[in-house]
């Protein structure tokens, strides 16, 4: 199974736009469900920060996944897509009062709390409403991940989470607060992680922390290990479904659970990354003195990952099958970082050709901006186009 592009249909749509192949998405979701079903107590919450397109969300909701939000706006968006409030986990290092109120009013499953001041504010707001907030503590496990420095989150130097040494003290404090029900621990070590050893390291760390809790007579119900499973950016057509089997089996093998505990996952990129592509049109082919530029109508405003993280999205020419030539693929924005890729091979490219940038379903459309007064790209699914 690989992404299918209907170039004839695409040629009537204003570019640039995002295209989502729902066959790939549904197959990905089916694999996730089949793999998690092997274990009694595994629950996946889709991390909506990766892609909040309503049409994509509806497909994910149909598959029955829970959801991970990091803002009030995301909570509103997932409720609009039909997700039940009691499957929402709400993380974020700086939740505003209105966002906490929204979470409480809607009756979300759990707040992932990152500091004591936040815990106290949640307790106070819940108290005013006569409600009890269910919380997990996000613990910073000080586990590094083999990924880009900007997307590791689990090191002591990062802004996220509560220090391990404070864990027991804070749990005891939480237990004294009337409008807080403490349920468990939350972790997240980073994104685009392909080495299962990183998840083994997290599991080992959680095991150590659970041993400490046992010694103190503290018990927890929920272990949320966050997200982070990576995708194959080099070969998206050959390898469209991430290795969920290995991922869940790794946790099953290494994470030691106590009776009655459930494990929660917050997967974003691995759910939606490979089903999406940015479709853009070639405005000009410019012969520079030393290289050839394919100047496309998408820019860093539509897909910022190359400019921000030096990310590479495999790029193909959908309109040409002529012999390959070497191009720098660049956008029209007035920034020298508005470069998608340098020195890449593309089938001989001319003005008007349609280009697809693959593996763009995650952190693509959602990170688009209106810089240069550009229109935000629209996202279409294969369900509506084909
Ligand atoms: N849970 C938490 C607490 C997170 O911070 C994140 C992602 C996730 C779950 C989902 O991680 P995933 O399964 O997608 O790896 N914009 C960057 C990625 C930022 C990820 C931020 N946190 C990119 O384009 O690569």
């Amino acid at each position: 199974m690989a992404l299918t592009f209907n170039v004839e249909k695409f040629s009537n749509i204003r570019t640039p736009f995002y295209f989502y192949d729902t066959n790939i998405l549904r197959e990905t979701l089916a694999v996730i469900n089949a793999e998690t079903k092997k274990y009694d107590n595994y629950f996946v919450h889709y991390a909506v920060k990766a892609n909040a397109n309503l049409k994509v969300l509806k497909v994910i909701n149909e598959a029955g996944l829970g959801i991970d939000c990091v803002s009030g706006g995301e909570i509103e968006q997932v409720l609009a897509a039909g997700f039940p409030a009691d499957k929402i986990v709400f993380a974020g290092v700086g939740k505003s009062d209105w966002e906490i109120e929204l979470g409480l009013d809607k009756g979300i499953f759990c707040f992932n709390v990152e500091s004591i001041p936040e815990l106290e504010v949640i307790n106070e707001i819940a108290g005013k409403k006569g409600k009890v907030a269910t919380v997990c503590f996000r613990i910073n496990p000080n586990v590094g991940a083999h990924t880009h420095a900007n997307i590791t989150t689990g090191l002591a130097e990062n802004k996220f989470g509560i220090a391990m040494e404070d864990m027991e003290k804070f749990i005891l404090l939480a237990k004294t607060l009337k409008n807080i029900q403490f349920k468990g621990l939350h972790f997240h070590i980073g994104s685009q992680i392909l080495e299962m050893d990183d998840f083994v390291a997290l599991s080992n760390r959680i095991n150590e922390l659970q041993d400490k809790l046992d010694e103190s007579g503290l018990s927890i119900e929920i272990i949320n290990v966050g997200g982070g499973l990576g995708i194959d950016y080099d070969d998206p057509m050959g390898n469209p479904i991430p290795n969920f089997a290995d991922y869940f089996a790794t946790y099953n093998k290494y994470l030691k659970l106590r009776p009655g505990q459930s494990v929660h996952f917050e997967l974003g990129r691995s759910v939606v990354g490979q089903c999406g592509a940015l479709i853009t049109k070639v405005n000009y082919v410019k012969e520079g003195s030393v290289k050839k530029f394919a100047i496309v109508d998408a820019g860093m405003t539509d897909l910022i990952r190359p400019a921000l993280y030096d990310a590479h999205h495999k790029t193909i020419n959908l309109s040409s099958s002529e012999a390959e030539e070497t191009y720098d693929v660049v956008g029209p924005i007035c920034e020298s970082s508005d470069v998608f890729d340098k020195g890449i091979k593309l089938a001989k490219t001319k003005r008007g050709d349609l280009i697809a940038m693959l593996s763009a379903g995650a952190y693509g459309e959602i990170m688009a901006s209106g810089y240069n007064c550009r229109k935000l790209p629209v996202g279409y699914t294969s369900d509506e186009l084909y």
Side-chain angles (χ1 to χ4, degrees), residues 6-21:
N6 186 332
V7 180
E8 214 172 291
K9 287 267 161 53
F10 287 0
S11 50
N12 302 320
I13 302 173
R14 180 186 167 135
T15 50
F17 64 91
Y18 276 90
F19 168 70
Y20 303 107
D21 186 325

Side-chain angles (χ1 to χ4, degrees), residues 62-350:
E62 278 163 22
L65 268 61
I67 194 103
D68 161 38
C69 294
V70 290
S71 74
E74 285 189 355
I75 293 177
E76 284 165 350
Q77 181 77 349
V78 304
L79 291 174
F83 281 88
D86 63 4
K87 283 188 179 176
I88 299 175
V89 293
F90 181 17
V93 71
K95 299 177 189 75
S96 296
D97 292 13
W98 74 269
E99 298 178 306
I100 295 169
E101 286 181 15
L102 180 68
L104 287 167
D105 290 343
K106 299 294 178 190
I108 63 167
F109 173 63
C110 187
F111 289 86
N112 289 331
V113 171
E114 304 218 8
S115 67
I116 289 306
E118 181 194 335
L119 182 73
E120 287 169 348
V121 169
I122 295 177
N123 181 53
E124 188 189 314
I125 295 177
K128 281 190 197 140
K129 290 181 179 291
K131 298 196 174 200
V132 173
T134 304
V135 307
C136 284
F137 279 146
R138 176 166 182 180
I139 305 292
N140 187 326
N142 200 15
V143 170
H146 297 88
T147 184
H148 191 283
N150 283 8
I151 51 178
T152 58
T153 47
L155 287 174
E157 69 201 47
N158 297 129
K159 70 178 175 184
F160 300 101
I162 288 169
M164 285 180 287
E165 53 272 27
D166 292 329
M167 174 182 71
E168 286 157 277
K169 190 169 70 193
F170 287 1
I171 293 176
L172 290 172
L173 170 68
K175 285 180 179 287
T176 67
L177 300 177
K178 243 180 58 214
N179 299 89
I180 296 290
Q181 188 178 28
F182 172 76
K183 284 274 188 178
L185 301 179
H186 172 231
F187 305 85
H188 177 73
I189 53 172
S191 199
Q192 184 51 21
I193 299 170
L194 291 167
E195 292 183 34
M196 293 300 141
D197 279 357
D198 291 338
F199 301 119
V200 174
L202 176 60
S203 301
N204 290 338
R205 175 70 84 213
I206 298 173
N207 295 340
E208 284 168 25
L209 293 175
Q210 286 234 72
D211 289 344
K212 276 198 192 148
L213 291 180
D214 286 349
E215 281 167 26
S216 313
L218 295 168
S219 63
I220 56 173
E221 286 171 39
I222 295 174
I223 296 178
N224 181 334
V225 295
L229 177 62
I231 62 173
D232 189 343
Y233 281 98
D234 297 329
D235 186 17
M237 295 301 241
N239 198 7
I241 314 268
N243 195 345
F244 293 108
D246 256 19
Y247 174 74
F248 292 115
T250 299
Y251 277 109
N252 182 54
K253 179 162 177 204
Y254 292 96
L255 184 62
K256 294 190 194 121
L257 298 181
R258 310 298 188 256
Q261 287 184 334
S262 58
V263 186
H264 296 251
F265 301 85
E266 301 171 342
L267 295 174
R269 187 189 317 264
S270 54
V271 181
V272 290
Q274 297 293 36
C275 74
L278 176 64
I279 310 296
T280 176
K281 199 173 275 173
V282 178
N283 275 342
Y284 304 101
V285 176
K286 175 163 115 174
E287 301 269 357
S289 54
V290 287
K291 38 169 83 171
K292 223 180 312 193
F293 295 97
I295 305 171
V296 298
D297 63 3
M300 60 191 287
T301 50
D302 305 293
L303 179 63
I304 201 175
R305 302 192 68 260
L308 200 55
Y309 314 115
D310 220 359
H312 297 275
H313 287 263
K314 199 165 172 69
T315 298
I316 52 178
N317 187 329
L318 300 176
S319 315
S320 165
S321 46
E322 290 184 53
E324 289 185 335
E325 297 189 354
T326 303
Y327 299 89
D328 281 13
V329 180
V330 301
I333 312 295
C334 302
E335 296 274 346
S336 40
S337 52
D338 187 31
V339 173
F340 287 111
D341 228 330
K342 290 186 176 168
I344 60 157
K345 300 262 185 231
L346 281 181
K348 187 175 166 52
T349 296
K350 59 181 184 317

